[in-house]
Amino acid sequence: HLGAGARRPATVCGVLMSTLLLYFEDEQAPALRLAKACGLPAACIDRHRFPDLELRLKLPVDAEGSMPTQLVIYRSLDRPNDKLIELLLVSREARRLGAQRILLVAPYLAYMRQDIAFHPGEVVSQTIIGRFLSDMVDGLITVDPHLHRISRLEEAFPGPYAVSLSGAPMLAELIAKERPQATLMGPDGESAQWIASAAAVCGFDHGVCTKVRHGDHDVHITLPADVPVQDRQVVLLDDMASSGRTLAEAARLLRAAGARSVDVAVTHALFAADAIDVIRAAGIEHIWSTDSVVHASNAVALGPMLADSVKHFLRA
């Protein structure tokens, strides 16, 4: 880790480059793990919030007041509203100070679930935020984005370099260590792709629940009839956990059906408000997540997986 204003040339595949990884203090740990995996110097962006909630940001410039020609910005977009403004301010100023290519590593990509207007006047945030980001940066790397009605990240982020990775295989490897005889269960139909991907890694038995949502905190779950759970160690696997209500309802049904234990593994540990309490009350024992969102449940570091795509961008 280098202090503000300090940097040294980075070598990627033998090519000397002027490159720096930038991060914010609240995401220092995963950002530095990524920097180490990439062999890049890293520096923190100074952030101050005024009483009126406006932000003052200070970039780690060199002695001449300049930025490197290539920047990697690590900023996961949970709690996105402040962070999107941060990215706007940082990217514009970095360009002015000499940055020619900017890569955004946003393990969690916000505003992707609003991908269609169900009622007149509803804002389709997926395409708007995707274009907003593509106007600021030259590349985007994310993990398990919520792309329900589109098949490729490029449809949401029309930039020249768009990479979507998955945390499911790494979570599967963790589950194999913690629960070798696990049955994987997806809490709803949208989780089917993660369940299939994770199950293929270690040959787990698996199934997917059926969910009907009546509101943000009102869901109805039905267990799959063809997957036995009696006396099984069941792990609920999904891309994200927010309110926790879907996972909690699935856990209650699994417990009632005779599951020996129920654990949760998610890529993005959003866990809003009382979500953890709700999940624990439903009888869930362990909660495992990747470090895409900084949380006490983090058990899988994404840095080594992200590093390959970062290096590919820097070599281009």
Side-chain angles (χ1 to χ4, degrees), residues 141-225:
I141 300 172
T142 190
V143 181
D144 288 334
H146 195 86
L147 307 180
H148 181 39
R149 293 178 180 84
I150 63 175
S151 59
R152 299 183 305 113
L153 179 60
E154 292 91 332
E155 297 176 60
F157 175 83
Y161 188 79
V163 175
S164 172
L165 304 171
S166 179
M170 298 180 76
L171 286 170
E173 292 173 0
L174 172 70
I175 293 167
K177 294 177 183 177
E178 301 289 340
R179 294 286 190 263
Q181 304 303 317
T183 296
L184 299 187
M185 190 68 66
D188 55 36
E190 291 183 13
S191 65
Q193 58 182 310
W194 290 281
I195 291 294
S197 174
V201 172
C202 299
F204 292 118
D205 292 337
H206 60 284
V208 176
C209 299
T210 301
K211 179 177 76 173
V212 177
R213 180 178 291 279
H214 302 289
D216 288 345
H217 297 91
D218 184 9
V219 295
H220 177 74
I221 301 289
T222 304
L223 296 179

Side-chain angles (χ1 to χ4, degrees), residues 30 62 64 103 131:
D62 63 15
E64 288 75 39
L103 171 67
R131 289 175 187 144

Side-chain angles (χ1 to χ4, degrees), residues 122-138:
E122 276 189 347
V123 176
V124 181
S125 62
Q126 184 185 84
T127 53
I128 294 172
I129 294 299
R131 289 175 187 144
F132 176 75
L133 292 173
S134 70
D135 286 342
M136 293 188 290
V137 300
D138 304 292

Side-chain angles (χ1 to χ4, degrees), residues 223 228-231 251-259:
L223 296 179
V229 297
Q230 178 71 35
D231 203 34
R252 280 190 286 267
L253 290 174
L254 289 165
R255 284 292 196 180

Side-chain angles (χ1 to χ4, degrees), residues 3-314:
R7 69 174 188 268
R8 63 179 180 273
T11 301
V12 179
C13 290
V15 180
L16 194 64
M17 293 183 174
S18 176
T19 306
L20 182 66
L21 186 146
L22 297 178
Y23 64 89
F24 289 81
E25 185 177 16
D26 58 319
E27 293 177 332
Q28 175 175 292
L32 292 183
R33 285 192 286 268
L34 176 60
K36 181 178 180 180
C38 294
L40 290 176
C44 186
I45 298 170
D46 184 68
R47 181 181 187 272
H48 173 76
R49 185 189 292 275
F50 291 107
D52 62 4
L53 302 184
E54 289 188 7
L55 299 169
R56 182 188 67 203
L57 305 176
K58 184 176 182 294
L59 297 177
V61 296
D62 63 15
E64 288 75 39
S66 298
M67 296 297 295
T69 56
Q70 290 196 125
L71 290 178
V72 177
I73 302 176
Y74 185 97
R75 200 56 167 153
S76 204
L77 293 177
D78 56 302
R79 296 171 287 114
N81 299 334
D82 274 2
K83 292 182 175 184
L84 289 169
I85 295 299
E86 290 170 356
L87 289 175
L88 174 64
L89 297 174
V90 166
S91 63
R92 292 291 187 266
E93 184 66 6
R95 298 278 194 198
R96 190 183 73 82
L97 296 176
Q100 298 173 16
R101 300 179 76 226
I102 301 176
L103 171 67
L104 172 62
V105 179
Y108 176 68
L109 187 58
Y111 286 113
M112 291 295 106
R113 64 165 60 91
Q114 292 92 6
D115 56 5
I116 191 173
F118 291 98
H119 305 284
E122 276 189 347
V123 176
V124 181
S125 62
Q126 184 185 84
T127 53
I128 294 172
I129 294 299
R131 289 175 187 144
F132 176 75
L133 292 173
S134 70
D135 286 342
M136 293 188 290
V137 300
D138 304 292
L140 169 67
I141 300 172
T142 190
V143 181
D144 288 334
H146 195 86
L147 307 180
H148 181 39
R149 293 178 180 84
I150 63 175
S151 59
R152 299 183 305 113
L153 179 60
E154 292 91 332
E155 297 176 60
F157 175 83
Y161 188 79
V163 175
S164 172
L165 304 171
S166 179
M170 298 180 76
L171 286 170
E173 292 173 0
L174 172 70
I175 293 167
K177 294 177 183 177
E178 301 289 340
R179 294 286 190 263
Q181 304 303 317
T183 296
L184 299 187
M185 190 68 66
D188 55 36
E190 291 183 13
S191 65
Q193 58 182 310
W194 290 281
I195 291 294
S197 174
V201 172
C202 299
F204 292 118
D205 292 337
H206 60 284
V208 176
C209 299
T210 301
K211 179 177 76 173
V212 177
R213 180 178 291 279
H214 302 289
D216 288 345
H217 297 91
D218 184 9
V219 295
H220 177 74
I221 301 289
T222 304
L223 296 179
D226 58 342
V227 181
V229 297
Q230 178 71 35
D231 203 34
R232 298 289 186 92
Q233 295 178 316
V234 181
V235 178
L236 288 162
L237 178 68
D238 207 354
D239 62 329
M240 69 176 71
S242 183
S243 72
R245 267 59 181 183
T246 297
L247 293 170
E249 177 64 15
R252 280 190 286 267
L253 290 174
L254 289 165
R255 284 292 196 180
R260 189 193 320 170
S261 64
V262 181
D263 304 298
V264 163
V266 295
T267 301
H268 307 301
L270 301 176
F271 294 123
D274 62 347
I276 291 292
D277 293 336
V278 169
I279 289 172
R280 294 294 189 195
I284 288 171
E285 296 184 17
H286 294 92
I287 302 171
W288 301 300
S289 66
T290 76
D291 63 355
S292 70
V293 176
V294 176
H295 190 265
S297 64
N298 291 167
V300 172
L302 294 173
M305 178 180 72
L306 295 167
D308 287 341
S309 295
V310 172
K311 293 175 183 177
H312 187 270
F313 175 87
L314 297 178

